[in-house]
Amino acid sequence: MNWHAAIVLSHMRTMKWTFVRPCAIALTIVTASLAAQTAPYDSAKPLQHATPFAPGIISTGDYESHAAFTPDGREMYFLKLAPNFSRWTIFVSRYNNGRWSEPEVAPFSGQFQDADPYITADGKHFYFISDRPVEAGGERQSHHDIWVMDKTDSGWSTPRHSPAPVNSYPDEWYPVALTNGTL
């Protein structure tokens, strides 16, 4: 190799390193920034022990459980129970401006025993259980059935009762929908 080719090769190696190093740092910053935007509840490193989620806002010392996040991680639906388990209500909190909002009763919940929220991975369907009447104006059921809502431009649709064989007597619990449509 002649001296001119050696200098060019050496210069290319230097340029390559100079170019790659800032890009790797920029990529790390962009990736971390995107991760924070799409998963505000995510931790940048593994947690060494169980940690309360949004202490004082979501984790209050009441009976909170069954968290379900929208795919973008910016809405969280969860169950809040009365201390004697006589009342079950689904609440919602939204992540805005770096913090979770004060939880409020989800628009479809609060009148009946609603529990076990589950949002599909594509964010198109929301399943939960309830003892609400199957027919409008009917009597409250003595057991819990699976209900589903679809995502619309304005939020979640009106809950629909899932037909048999999904629902039966007595209770159904913990609905989970697989990507192939299996419930």
Side-chain angles (χ1 to χ4, degrees), residues 56-141:
I57 299 171
I58 307 293
S59 299
T60 65
D62 289 344
Y63 295 92
E64 295 106 354
S65 66
H66 297 79
F69 291 88
T70 53
D72 65 2
R74 302 187 87 63
E75 278 187 347
M76 176 186 158
Y77 292 83
F78 63 99
L79 180 60
K80 216 173 199 354
L81 298 109
N84 65 359
F85 297 94
S86 64
R87 189 85 178 129
W88 311 343
T89 306
I90 297 175
F91 279 71
V92 61
S93 178
R94 292 172 181 84
Y95 190 80
N96 292 312
N97 300 321
R99 68 181 299 269
W100 289 95
S101 68
E102 201 61 41
E104 57 191 46
V105 175
F108 58 88
S109 192
Q111 188 175 356
F112 304 102
Q113 297 266 35
D114 300 324
D116 302 346
Y118 177 83
I119 300 170
T120 57
D122 61 9
K124 293 181 180 180
H125 306 287
F126 187 122
Y127 292 89
F128 64 101
I129 64 166
S130 181
D131 66 352
R132 62 187 59 213
V134 174
E135 301 294 327
E139 287 192 36
R140 180 184 223 152
Q141 297 186 91

Side-chain angles (χ1 to χ4, degrees), residues 1 3-21:
M1 177 182 305
W3 67 271
H4 181 54
I7 290 173
V8 169
L9 183 59
S10 172
H11 183 65
M12 285 176 65
R13 285 185 185 139
T14 303
M15 286 181 62
K16 190 176 197 180
W17 171 249
T18 304
F19 176 73
V20 169
R21 189 171 180 193

Side-chain angles (χ1 to χ4, degrees), residues 16-40:
K16 190 176 197 180
W17 171 249
T18 304
F19 176 73
V20 169
R21 189 171 180 193
C23 286
I25 293 167
L27 182 60
T28 302
I29 292 167
V30 169
T31 303
S33 173
L34 288 175
Q37 289 175 4
T38 58

